[in-house]
Amino acid sequence: MCVKFRGSHVLSVAQFERGDIEAIFRIADHMEPYAQRRRATRVLEGAILGSMFFEASTRTRISFGSAFNLLGGEVRESVGMDSLSLVKGESLRDTARVLSGFSDVICMRHPVAGSVAEFASASRVPVLNGGDGSNEHPSQALLDLYTIEKELAGRGRNIDGLRIAMIGDLRYGRTVHSLARLLSLFEGIQVVLVSPPELSMPAPLVEELRAAGQRVVESDNLEASITHVDIVYSTRIQEERFPDRRQADLYRGRLRLNQAIYTQYCEPNTVIMHPLPRDSRAEANELDIDLDQNPNLAIFRQTDNGLLVRMALFALVLDVVPLVDKYACEVRWYTPG
Ligand code: CP
């Protein structure tokens, strides 16, 4: 299994089979004591992660960097376009060739769909897609599915047979694109796609789900769509993909979930997810902070799980999985409370 990952780019979830997902998740499980600082490892000592984020990010950028640090590696980071020679007309391919001479692996986010793949085509080291425009966000979908697996396990269930409502901007939201693709790998999935008609899931992705035998319903009615699901997966209006703010404003705040709606319409224990950031401005507020005390709100378990999944991806593409424990070392600074 590791041979398949060794030296590979991670550009789209379409490159994975179900067995690959299982492998990533079991390695992610193994990373937990390292992520929780109960153990330390120097397995990637001397390795350098090139972290290239051409678009705003909190979770993905810092989680990739922290995951690499936790495996003993160093991070060299560039944020935004302005500090790079791309502004002097250098191509993405030349940039990739240069940076891959300095790095052992690169993670990258870019506002243009397909740009991370273009960059990867000229890179001599593995490139992990941290989000390319509205196209894909593979590591987010993996951590989302890993979270779903864990949440359902606590209820004696597995991913097969999952009922999920994906809500919000399904047109531009790359996390739901990647997650929908991953769900095609499983059995008996029921998906309710809830969005304004103008922001519906791209037809090819809906077709992919249906061709895989999954039951797909499209709706613009939030309350009617969340009554019989295991997971409510809310998303933000992706304002940065709209021609201007005014057009994004047309859709902001239309599909809001709060505790009163959850209590009235959801089954008990329905899990609430969101890739974050949630837009907490009054006019948007797609996931109200009055849900923060709800034990079924899994949004911060998602971010914690992201660290484990990204550690697993690095260990796989750099082919060090069997060595993680071998290069474990004493934790000197951390005293469990
Ligand atoms: N979920 C996600 O991609 O968050 P960031 O934009 O903060 O990285």
Side-chain angles (χ1 to χ4, degrees):
M1 190 63 69
C2 295
V3 173
K4 173 175 180 174
F5 285 94
R6 184 171 58 204
S8 295
H9 304 306
V10 176
L11 300 176
S12 164
V13 295
Q15 70 194 74
F16 298 127
E17 296 169 8
R18 185 163 171 167
D20 302 326
I21 306 300
E22 178 69 20
I24 295 166
F25 288 1
R26 299 297 69 83
I27 295 164
D29 290 342
H30 195 79
M31 295 299 178
E32 195 164 286
Y34 298 101
Q36 292 178 348
R37 323 300 198 265
R38 287 186 278 120
R39 301 185 77 180
T41 178
R42 305 302 305 166
V43 69
L44 290 184
E45 192 165 80
I48 294 176
L49 166 67
S51 174
M52 312 290 303
F53 275 71
F54 297 107
E55 197 177 55
S57 170
T58 296
R59 276 143 292 276
T60 312
R61 178 171 63 86
I62 297 172
S63 164
F64 266 128
S66 300
F68 207 74
N69 288 150
L70 285 165
L71 292 168
E74 303 277 345
V75 182
R76 291 285 172 271
E77 192 165 65
S78 179
V79 176
M81 294 269 188
D82 294 349
S83 60
L84 288 173
S85 289
L86 285 160
V87 293
K88 303 174 195 165
E90 186 167 42
S91 69
L92 262 186
R93 288 180 56 81
D94 280 2
T95 307
R97 172 63 188 84
V98 170
L99 294 176
S100 62
F102 308 154
S103 313
D104 298 281
V105 59
I106 292 171
C107 61
M108 179 177 168
R109 170 173 289 184
H110 195 284
V112 178
S115 54
V116 180
E118 182 190 343
F119 182 95
S121 69
S123 171
R124 300 193 303 180
V125 300
V127 175
L128 310 187
N129 183 359
D132 62 320
S134 57
N135 183 36
E136 279 230 30
H137 195 340
S139 64
Q140 177 72 45
L142 288 167
L143 77 87
D144 288 340
L145 193 63
Y146 183 61
T147 303
I148 290 170
E149 184 192 70
K150 282 184 157 182
E151 297 290 323
L152 292 182
R155 295 157 170 77
R157 304 260 312 280
N158 58 32
I159 298 171
D160 291 320
L162 171 73
R163 304 165 301 163
I164 182 169
M166 295 187 195
I167 300 161
D169 182 352
L170 307 183
R171 176 180 179 185
Y172 295 121
R174 56 193 169 204
T175 73
V176 282
H177 298 169
S178 292
L179 183 57
R181 281 219 160 100
L182 275 187
L183 290 175
S184 294
L185 297 173
F186 292 81
E187 304 289 331
I189 308 292
Q190 296 180 37
V191 187
V192 191
L193 300 171
V194 191
S195 68
E198 300 87 345
L199 301 183
S200 61
M201 179 76 82
L205 289 168
V206 177
E207 271 320 298
E208 238 177 84
L209 278 165
R210 290 197 170 123
Q214 318 303 16
R215 182 162 179 264
V216 184
V217 175
E218 294 186 85
S219 170
D220 59 1
N221 184 319
L222 176 72
E223 288 80 2
S225 302
I226 59 176
T227 50
H228 298 297
V229 295
D230 306 299
I231 308 281
V232 170
Y233 186 103
S234 175
T235 63
R236 170 180 71 88
I237 299 297
Q238 306 282 302
E239 179 182 328
E240 62 274 34
R241 311 270 173 248
F242 284 73
D244 56 56
R245 185 189 162 124
R246 197 179 46 81
Q247 295 196 41
D249 285 341
L250 296 175
Y251 305 104
R252 225 189 294 274
R254 280 211 207 164
L255 298 166
R256 299 169 191 241
L257 183 65
N258 59 28
Q259 185 59 50
I261 294 172
Y262 179 92
T263 304
Q264 186 171 351
Y265 294 99
C266 290
E267 291 175 358
N269 295 328
T270 300
V271 179
I272 307 160
M273 296 177 62
H274 191 301
L276 302 183
R278 56 178 158 172
D279 186 344
S280 293
R281 290 172 289 190
E283 66 272 25
N285 205 25
E286 67 264 0
L287 205 57
D288 200 291
I289 57 166
D290 74 357
L291 288 158
D292 285 5
Q293 306 311 316
N294 186 323
N296 297 302
L297 185 76
I299 56 177
F300 300 117
R301 296 194 283 275
Q302 285 172 264
T303 53
D304 288 347
N305 288 333
L307 199 56
L308 307 177
V309 166
R310 292 184 174 113
M311 289 173 80
L313 288 174
F314 284 132
L316 281 161
V317 299
L318 296 174
D319 199 19
V320 296
V321 171
L323 303 178
V324 170
D325 292 342
K326 183 173 175 191
Y327 290 99
C329 52
E330 195 183 334
V331 181
R332 295 189 196 87
W333 56 271
Y334 178 70
T335 313

